[in-house]
Amino acid sequence: KQEVTQIPAALSVPEGENLVLNCSFTDSAIYNLQWFRQDPGKGLTSLLLIQSSQREQTSGRLNASLDKSSGRSTLYIAASQPGDSATYLCAVTGSSNTGKLIFGQGTTLQVKP
Amino acid sequence: DAGVIQSPRHEVTEMGQEVTLRCKPISGHDYLFWYRQTMMRGLELLIYFNNNVPIDDSGMPEDRFSAKMPNASFSTLKIQPSEPRDSAVYFCASRSGTSNPRELFFGEGSRLTVL
């Protein structure tokens, strides 16, 4: 059974810092991995999707990497801003691509001005 | 496109009452998912549909929960009778089965409180 873990559960950093959020999964046979952002009281917004054949994806100040063999992904946020404060979740889709996403518990990020 | 649309956004009801949550997926998407989010358990997949057909309902907690998708543009999640432990945010999400990448798009959620 696939399990997804995110560490740390919460993170507080001063504005301007570069930071890394971690995601690990127990079954390396995945189809893709997706990072989401969730603001309080809101739905999830997709940030980046990495196919199993890819090693990383970039969007603006965000860079997500994938090491399938070790069951790990990282989300790198450069020059963090207070507006980045949110909960970040990673989710994996199994290799059969049934469409099911298994989510981690998320990392709640606070960026202090 | 307006995105995934869910209603109601908030529902407060008493134990034992029937609750119906509604979802309109993004036009053209052939996969629809219902998730439940709680502080204790995070995001859990309840059920998902492909081309209006339920594919996997193994996450549906018990017989009190049922979901339907009568057509490509509408789905419901029903809880009857509701219990306080059903209090959660219920999310609907949709995606295309053919586009690449196959991103999942979420609605804003329906926050359910059962007293």
Side-chain angles (χ1 to χ4, degrees):
Chain A
K1 179 185 174 185
Q2 179 73 272
E3 292 184 1
V4 181
T5 304
Q6 292 187 245
I7 295 173
L11 183 62
S12 180
V13 300
E15 182 177 5
E17 270 203 11
N18 302 324
L19 57 100
V20 174
L21 307 181
N22 297 293
C23 173
S24 61
F25 44 96
T26 54
D27 185 352
S28 61
I30 64 169
Y31 184 79
N32 62 40
L33 182 145
Q34 201 166 346
W35 281 93
F36 293 87
R37 169 182 172 142
Q38 185 175 28
D39 292 288
K42 299 290 188 179
L44 281 70
T45 301
S46 177
L47 297 173
L48 291 164
L49 184 150
I50 311 177
Q51 305 281 24
S52 62
S53 58
Q54 297 174 322
R55 294 300 298 261
E56 66 177 349
Q57 281 286 337
T58 299
S59 176
R61 294 183 294 109
L62 305 179
N63 175 276
S65 68
L66 174 64
D67 184 341
K68 214 171 65 159
S69 61
S70 66
R72 293 179 183 175
S73 176
T74 61
L75 178 66
Y76 175 83
I77 303 177
S80 58
Q81 303 170 358
D84 295 329
S85 299
T87 297
Y88 292 81
L89 298 107
C90 72
V92 298
T93 302
S95 59
S96 60
N97 191 26
T98 60
K100 293 173 63 170
L101 264 70
I102 307 299
F103 280 85
Q105 290 278 47
T107 294
T108 298
L109 171 66
Q110 182 185 33
V111 181
K112 298 178 179 178
Chain B
D1 199 312
V4 177
I5 299 173
Q6 292 187 245
S7 65
R9 290 294 313 281
H10 301 274
E11 175 92 5
V12 180
T13 189
E14 293 188 347
M15 183 173 64
Q17 296 298 305
E18 178 179 293
V19 173
T20 299
L21 308 179
R22 299 172 177 80
C23 175
K24 176 178 167 52
I26 292 174
S27 177
H29 282 187
D30 49 357
Y31 281 86
L32 183 141
F33 303 80
W34 283 100
Y35 281 89
R36 177 172 67 177
Q37 187 178 41
T38 60
M39 287 291 291
M40 289 295 294
R41 301 173 68 93
L43 269 162
E44 301 174 284
L45 176 65
L46 300 177
I47 185 172
Y48 79 94
F49 297 82
N50 178 219
N51 292 321
N52 312 337
V53 176
I55 302 301
D56 185 345
D57 65 355
S58 59
M60 296 286 262
E62 44 196 278
D63 292 345
R64 297 185 296 106
F65 286 69
S66 62
K68 294 182 180 179
M69 192 164 185
N71 57 62
S73 60
F74 183 67
S75 177
T76 60
L77 178 67
K78 186 175 293 187
I79 308 172
Q80 167 63 20
S82 57
E83 297 182 2
R85 60 192 168 122
D86 302 330
S87 298
V89 182
Y90 291 81
F91 287 103
C92 177
S94 72
R95 72 169 179 88
S96 168
T98 55
S99 68
N100 196 25
R102 298 177 185 179
E103 282 182 84
L104 192 63
F105 295 87
F106 279 78
E108 294 278 279
S110 293
R111 181 175 295 275
L112 173 64
T113 302
V114 183
L115 303 175

